[in-house]
Amino acid sequence: MISRCCYLLLVVITVADFCDGGVTSRFVRKLQESRDMPLDSDVFRAPPGYNAPQQVHITQGDHEGKGMIVSWVTVDEPGSSTVTYWTRNGQKRSAHGRITSYKYYTYQSGYIHHCTLKNLQHDMKYFYEVGTGGNTTRRFWFKTPPEVGPDVPFTFGLIGDLGQTYDSNDTLTHYEKNSMGGQTLLVVGDLSYADRYPNHDNVRWDTWGRFVERSNAYQPWIWVTGNHEIDFAPEIGETKPFKPFTHRYHVPHRASNSTSPHWYSVKIASAYIIVLSSYSAYGEYTPQTLWLQDELPKVNRSQTPWLIVLMHSPWYNSYADHVMEGESMRVMYEWLLVRYKVDLVFAGHVHAYERSERISNIAYRVVYGGCRPVLDENAPVYITVGDGGNVEGLSKNMIEPQPEYSAYREASFGHATLSIRNRTHAFYNWHRNQDGYNIVADSVWFHNRIWTPYSEILPSLK
Ligand SMILES: [Fe+2]
């Protein structure tokens, strides 16, 4: 019996430190640097055929989930912007899109097609063909989300800071093989890392589009802009921020009365997803702030109980990288998220994993003082999943001791899933790349802030 207890104690000491906060996992699962996959990798291969559509990707095309934006690139000539789509027993229908293109320094993009399919049926498998009438067409399929409702189950995937390294490929494969079955991926910014190449070599935007097509052509990815989407390079005459991203990735921002593709909302099943931009103005009276102030009171938690906010730069981060970068936005917006009882906030940017307790730090005013994260049943849980596997590698340095508000942190590449079961409960998992596909490294049942507003986590805060 004694030896069994010693063994258990040893196991606990091996995986975790005892400290002021929650769990710091010390297991370093990736010692080598992350390397970009070379340009001739099979995952980057262009499809065969003259002017074949490539980089096919989809995202939700309206506010309710009855629309889908289908996008792709052709390189030989403009070709057809038509998408033909049908259900298993239904008639074929067609939608016609538009072409855009852009120049970035010496790079000239291909012909970028965006076509919105409207008035789709909920919860239905659609087959679709891109480039109908052109020289080469390609076929894919997707499933529309179920009709919005308070107890509609739905599973989201979460990936941040993906890049295009061997580790990125591991992360995407683990997401694809995860038996939780993510139906829509929430991408919390930093996509291709093309800006790390000389003159922001936009060829790397193309390779990234071909790399993720295997998932992104079959299920919607919801886009958040990160710092690697800014592509602001005045030294080479590129002074329009977000130029490659905004040409390549269209989002349904107008459907939520947003004036910018960098902040918007979508309803999916029982969730209301709000996308914010860490790299657009968020001061008082700015467009993003006015939009958010108008948006939050509109969320009907009887229809969509789960209120989820996505951003790139985390507000709560106990790694040594990007310290305080999210602080100014936190000061501006945190009180709003607490007031409207946001359930969860997901961010990336820091290349590691961290989950907070349910906390807020909104008491501070210059004249009163008092500034400390405290347990708050009205506040969100903050989760950083910037661990997609990009070329910049893991953030291994942590601030010690672990802050009280930090429930779990680990410097490993991976992804997360959020499986909403009904209006009261959602099952959340984080997966490491080094584990088997169905191994869960961190797991919590979240309780909805409106329908079951009691604590779900053993608090480490006093
Ligand atoms: Fe970032």
Side-chain angles (χ1 to χ4, degrees), residues 183-202:
Q183 297 162 273
T184 287
L185 185 68
L186 308 177
V187 184
V188 289
D190 282 2
L191 315 181
S192 74
Y193 287 76
D195 60 348
R196 288 186 53 88
Y197 285 82
N199 301 317
H200 297 227
D201 185 358
N202 273 227

PDB file of all heavy atoms in Angstrom, residues 183-202:
ATOM      1  N   GLN A 183     -17.012  19.851 -36.291  1.00  0.00           N
ATOM      2  CA  GLN A 183     -17.855  20.146 -37.456  1.00  0.00           C
ATOM      3  C   GLN A 183     -17.517  21.477 -38.101  1.00  0.00           C
ATOM      4  O   GLN A 183     -17.812  21.707 -39.262  1.00  0.00           O
ATOM      5  CB  GLN A 183     -19.329  20.135 -37.028  1.00  0.00           C
ATOM      6  CG  GLN A 183     -19.803  18.784 -36.533  1.00  0.00           C
ATOM      7  CD  GLN A 183     -21.089  18.875 -35.729  1.00  0.00           C
ATOM      8  OE1 GLN A 183     -21.072  19.088 -34.521  1.00  0.00           O
ATOM      9  NE2 GLN A 183     -22.216  18.738 -36.393  1.00  0.00           N
ATOM     10  N   THR A 184     -16.942  22.366 -37.325  1.00  0.00           N
ATOM     11  CA  THR A 184     -16.507  23.678 -37.812  1.00  0.00           C
ATOM     12  C   THR A 184     -15.249  24.033 -37.019  1.00  0.00           C
ATOM     13  O   THR A 184     -15.200  23.795 -35.803  1.00  0.00           O
ATOM     14  CB  THR A 184     -17.602  24.740 -37.585  1.00  0.00           C
ATOM     15  OG1 THR A 184     -18.662  24.508 -38.507  1.00  0.00           O
ATOM     16  CG2 THR A 184     -17.086  26.155 -37.780  1.00  0.00           C
ATOM     17  N   LEU A 185     -14.263  24.580 -37.703  1.00  0.00           N
ATOM     18  CA  LEU A 185     -13.006  24.910 -37.009  1.00  0.00           C
ATOM     19  C   LEU A 185     -12.951  26.408 -36.733  1.00  0.00           C
ATOM     20  O   LEU A 185     -13.154  27.226 -37.633  1.00  0.00           O
ATOM     21  CB  LEU A 185     -11.814  24.486 -37.876  1.00  0.00           C
ATOM     22  CG  LEU A 185     -10.441  24.665 -37.226  1.00  0.00           C
ATOM     23  CD1 LEU A 185     -10.260  23.698 -36.059  1.00  0.00           C
ATOM     24  CD2 LEU A 185      -9.328  24.454 -38.242  1.00  0.00           C
ATOM     25  N   LEU A 186     -12.674  26.755 -35.495  1.00  0.00           N
ATOM     26  CA  LEU A 186     -12.477  28.151 -35.112  1.00  0.00           C
ATOM     27  C   LEU A 186     -10.967  28.408 -35.153  1.00  0.00           C
ATOM     28  O   LEU A 186     -10.209  27.810 -34.381  1.00  0.00           O
ATOM     29  CB  LEU A 186     -13.041  28.409 -33.717  1.00  0.00           C
ATOM     30  CG  LEU A 186     -14.500  27.962 -33.511  1.00  0.00           C
ATOM     31  CD1 LEU A 186     -14.956  28.190 -32.076  1.00  0.00           C
ATOM     32  CD2 LEU A 186     -15.439  28.679 -34.475  1.00  0.00           C
ATOM     33  N   VAL A 187     -10.537  29.257 -36.057  1.00  0.00           N
ATOM     34  CA  VAL A 187      -9.103  29.491 -36.298  1.00  0.00           C
ATOM     35  C   VAL A 187      -8.743  30.843 -35.675  1.00  0.00           C
ATOM     36  O   VAL A 187      -9.134  31.890 -36.185  1.00  0.00           O
ATOM     37  CB  VAL A 187      -8.796  29.497 -37.804  1.00  0.00           C
ATOM     38  CG1 VAL A 187      -7.294  29.648 -38.041  1.00  0.00           C
ATOM     39  CG2 VAL A 187      -9.302  28.227 -38.464  1.00  0.00           C
ATOM     40  N   VAL A 188      -8.004  30.824 -34.575  1.00  0.00           N
ATOM     41  CA  VAL A 188      -7.801  32.058 -33.811  1.00  0.00           C
ATOM     42  C   VAL A 188      -6.595  32.882 -34.283  1.00  0.00           C
ATOM     43  O   VAL A 188      -5.912  33.515 -33.485  1.00  0.00           O
ATOM     44  CB  VAL A 188      -7.739  31.785 -32.287  1.00  0.00           C
ATOM     45  CG1 VAL A 188      -9.098  31.411 -31.749  1.00  0.00           C
ATOM     46  CG2 VAL A 188      -6.726  30.699 -31.957  1.00  0.00           C
ATOM     47  N   GLY A 189      -6.382  32.917 -35.583  1.00  0.00           N
ATOM     48  CA  GLY A 189      -5.422  33.840 -36.172  1.00  0.00           C
ATOM     49  C   GLY A 189      -4.035  33.270 -36.391  1.00  0.00           C
ATOM     50  O   GLY A 189      -3.670  32.235 -35.835  1.00  0.00           O
ATOM     51  N   ASP A 190      -3.237  33.983 -37.195  1.00  0.00           N
ATOM     52  CA  ASP A 190      -1.894  33.591 -37.635  1.00  0.00           C
ATOM     53  C   ASP A 190      -1.989  32.313 -38.470  1.00  0.00           C
ATOM     54  O   ASP A 190      -1.856  31.202 -37.948  1.00  0.00           O
ATOM     55  CB  ASP A 190      -0.926  33.430 -36.461  1.00  0.00           C
ATOM     56  CG  ASP A 190      -0.429  34.777 -35.950  1.00  0.00           C
ATOM     57  OD1 ASP A 190      -0.868  35.822 -36.493  1.00  0.00           O
ATOM     58  OD2 ASP A 190       0.387  34.784 -35.010  1.00  0.00           O
ATOM     59  N   LEU A 191      -2.151  32.515 -39.778  1.00  0.00           N
ATOM     60  CA  LEU A 191      -2.439  31.393 -40.661  1.00  0.00           C
ATOM     61  C   LEU A 191      -1.174  30.872 -41.336  1.00  0.00           C
ATOM     62  O   LEU A 191      -0.630  29.849 -40.962  1.00  0.00           O
ATOM     63  CB  LEU A 191      -3.481  31.814 -41.717  1.00  0.00           C
ATOM     64  CG  LEU A 191      -4.689  32.617 -41.191  1.00  0.00           C
ATOM     65  CD1 LEU A 191      -5.634  32.946 -42.328  1.00  0.00           C
ATOM     66  CD2 LEU A 191      -5.421  31.839 -40.123  1.00  0.00           C
ATOM     67  N   SER A 192      -0.673  31.603 -42.336  1.00  0.00           N
ATOM     68  CA  SER A 192       0.367  31.046 -43.201  1.00  0.00           C
ATOM     69  C   SER A 192       1.790  31.367 -42.747  1.00  0.00           C
ATOM     70  O   SER A 192       2.722  30.665 -43.098  1.00  0.00           O
ATOM     71  CB  SER A 192       0.186  31.573 -44.621  1.00  0.00           C
ATOM     72  OG  SER A 192       0.603  32.936 -44.706  1.00  0.00           O
ATOM     73  N   TYR A 193       1.984  32.436 -42.016  1.00  0.00           N
ATOM     74  CA  TYR A 193       3.321  32.946 -41.672  1.00  0.00           C
ATOM     75  C   TYR A 193       4.148  33.289 -42.915  1.00  0.00           C
ATOM     76  O   TYR A 193       5.382  33.260 -42.880  1.00  0.00           O
ATOM     77  CB  TYR A 193       4.087  31.960 -40.766  1.00  0.00           C
ATOM     78  CG  TYR A 193       3.537  31.935 -39.366  1.00  0.00           C
ATOM     79  CD1 TYR A 193       2.345  31.275 -39.082  1.00  0.00           C
ATOM     80  CD2 TYR A 193       4.178  32.608 -38.330  1.00  0.00           C
ATOM     81  CE1 TYR A 193       1.809  31.272 -37.806  1.00  0.00           C
ATOM     82  CE2 TYR A 193       3.652  32.609 -37.048  1.00  0.00           C
ATOM     83  CZ  TYR A 193       2.475  31.947 -36.794  1.00  0.00           C
ATOM     84  OH  TYR A 193       1.944  31.954 -35.529  1.00  0.00           O
ATOM     85  N   ALA A 194       3.466  33.644 -44.011  1.00  0.00           N
ATOM     86  CA  ALA A 194       4.178  34.062 -45.225  1.00  0.00           C
ATOM     87  C   ALA A 194       5.043  35.285 -44.951  1.00  0.00           C
ATOM     88  O   ALA A 194       6.077  35.482 -45.588  1.00  0.00           O
ATOM     89  CB  ALA A 194       3.169  34.368 -46.331  1.00  0.00           C
ATOM     90  N   ASP A 195       4.634  36.096 -43.980  1.00  0.00           N
ATOM     91  CA  ASP A 195       5.382  37.335 -43.718  1.00  0.00           C
ATOM     92  C   ASP A 195       6.758  37.080 -43.117  1.00  0.00           C
ATOM     93  O   ASP A 195       7.563  38.004 -42.990  1.00  0.00           O
ATOM     94  CB  ASP A 195       4.565  38.282 -42.827  1.00  0.00           C
ATOM     95  CG  ASP A 195       4.218  37.696 -41.468  1.00  0.00           C
ATOM     96  OD1 ASP A 195       4.402  36.477 -41.265  1.00  0.00           O
ATOM     97  OD2 ASP A 195       3.752  38.456 -40.605  1.00  0.00           O
ATOM     98  N   ARG A 196       7.052  35.840 -42.773  1.00  0.00           N
ATOM     99  CA  ARG A 196       8.398  35.540 -42.260  1.00  0.00           C
ATOM    100  C   ARG A 196       9.398  35.266 -43.384  1.00  0.00           C
ATOM    101  O   ARG A 196      10.587  35.140 -43.133  1.00  0.00           O
ATOM    102  CB  ARG A 196       8.345  34.340 -41.321  1.00  0.00           C
ATOM    103  CG  ARG A 196       7.683  34.654 -39.986  1.00  0.00           C
ATOM    104  CD  ARG A 196       7.804  33.466 -39.048  1.00  0.00           C
ATOM    105  NE  ARG A 196       9.178  33.015 -38.911  1.00  0.00           N
ATOM    106  CZ  ARG A 196      10.044  33.485 -38.011  1.00  0.00           C
ATOM    107  NH1 ARG A 196       9.673  34.418 -37.180  1.00  0.00           N
ATOM    108  NH2 ARG A 196      11.272  33.002 -37.950  1.00  0.00           N
ATOM    109  N   TYR A 197       8.892  35.164 -44.597  1.00  0.00           N
ATOM    110  CA  TYR A 197       9.782  34.945 -45.753  1.00  0.00           C
ATOM    111  C   TYR A 197      10.200  36.292 -46.333  1.00  0.00           C
ATOM    112  O   TYR A 197       9.532  37.307 -46.102  1.00  0.00           O
ATOM    113  CB  TYR A 197       9.050  34.100 -46.804  1.00  0.00           C
ATOM    114  CG  TYR A 197       8.968  32.650 -46.411  1.00  0.00           C
ATOM    115  CD1 TYR A 197       7.984  32.213 -45.529  1.00  0.00           C
ATOM    116  CD2 TYR A 197       9.890  31.721 -46.885  1.00  0.00           C
ATOM    117  CE1 TYR A 197       7.924  30.888 -45.134  1.00  0.00           C
ATOM    118  CE2 TYR A 197       9.838  30.397 -46.495  1.00  0.00           C
ATOM    119  CZ  TYR A 197       8.854  29.988 -45.628  1.00  0.00           C
ATOM    120  OH  TYR A 197       8.801  28.681 -45.223  1.00  0.00           O
ATOM    121  N   PRO A 198      11.292  36.323 -47.096  1.00  0.00           N
ATOM    122  CA  PRO A 198      11.740  37.597 -47.678  1.00  0.00           C
ATOM    123  C   PRO A 198      10.623  38.287 -48.450  1.00  0.00           C
ATOM    124  O   PRO A 198       9.916  37.650 -49.237  1.00  0.00           O
ATOM    125  CB  PRO A 198      12.886  37.161 -48.620  1.00  0.00           C
ATOM    126  CG  PRO A 198      13.397  35.881 -48.023  1.00  0.00           C
ATOM    127  CD  PRO A 198      12.195  35.195 -47.432  1.00  0.00           C
ATOM    128  N   ASN A 199      10.464  39.566 -48.177  1.00  0.00           N
ATOM    129  CA  ASN A 199       9.419  40.373 -48.831  1.00  0.00           C
ATOM    130  C   ASN A 199       8.025  39.753 -48.680  1.00  0.00           C
ATOM    131  O   ASN A 199       7.191  39.841 -49.572  1.00  0.00           O
ATOM    132  CB  ASN A 199       9.746  40.581 -50.316  1.00  0.00           C
ATOM    133  CG  ASN A 199      11.081  41.272 -50.487  1.00  0.00           C
ATOM    134  OD1 ASN A 199      11.395  42.224 -49.779  1.00  0.00           O
ATOM    135  ND2 ASN A 199      11.894  40.780 -51.418  1.00  0.00           N
ATOM    136  N   HIS A 200       7.791  39.102 -47.557  1.00  0.00           N
ATOM    137  CA  HIS A 200       6.494  38.473 -47.259  1.00  0.00           C
ATOM    138  C   HIS A 200       6.075  37.551 -48.408  1.00  0.00           C
ATOM    139  O   HIS A 200       4.935  37.596 -48.859  1.00  0.00           O
ATOM    140  CB  HIS A 200       5.413  39.535 -47.047  1.00  0.00           C
ATOM    141  CG  HIS A 200       5.656  40.430 -45.875  1.00  0.00           C
ATOM    142  ND1 HIS A 200       4.674  40.731 -44.955  1.00  0.00           N
ATOM    143  CD2 HIS A 200       6.760  41.095 -45.448  1.00  0.00           C
ATOM    144  CE1 HIS A 200       5.158  41.552 -44.033  1.00  0.00           C
ATOM    145  NE2 HIS A 200       6.433  41.784 -44.318  1.00  0.00           N
ATOM    146  N   ASP A 201       6.972  36.733 -48.854  1.00  0.00           N
ATOM    147  CA  ASP A 201       6.750  35.920 -50.054  1.00  0.00           C
ATOM    148  C   ASP A 201       5.348  35.299 -50.065  1.00  0.00           C
ATOM    149  O   ASP A 201       5.079  34.301 -49.386  1.00  0.00           O
ATOM    150  CB  ASP A 201       7.812  34.814 -50.122  1.00  0.00           C
ATOM    151  CG  ASP A 201       7.709  34.020 -51.406  1.00  0.00           C
ATOM    152  OD1 ASP A 201       6.805  34.310 -52.215  1.00  0.00           O
ATOM    153  OD2 ASP A 201       8.533  33.104 -51.589  1.00  0.00           O
ATOM    154  N   ASN A 202       4.485  35.891 -50.888  1.00  0.00           N
ATOM    155  CA  ASN A 202       3.087  35.463 -50.879  1.00  0.00           C
ATOM    156  C   ASN A 202       2.854  34.093 -51.512  1.00  0.00           C
ATOM    157  O   ASN A 202       1.748  33.557 -51.437  1.00  0.00           O
ATOM    158  CB  ASN A 202       2.211  36.521 -51.553  1.00  0.00           C
ATOM    159  CG  ASN A 202       1.747  37.602 -50.593  1.00  0.00           C
ATOM    160  OD1 ASN A 202       0.585  37.977 -50.552  1.00  0.00           O
ATOM    161  ND2 ASN A 202       2.670  38.131 -49.774  1.00  0.00           N
TER     162      ASN A 202
END
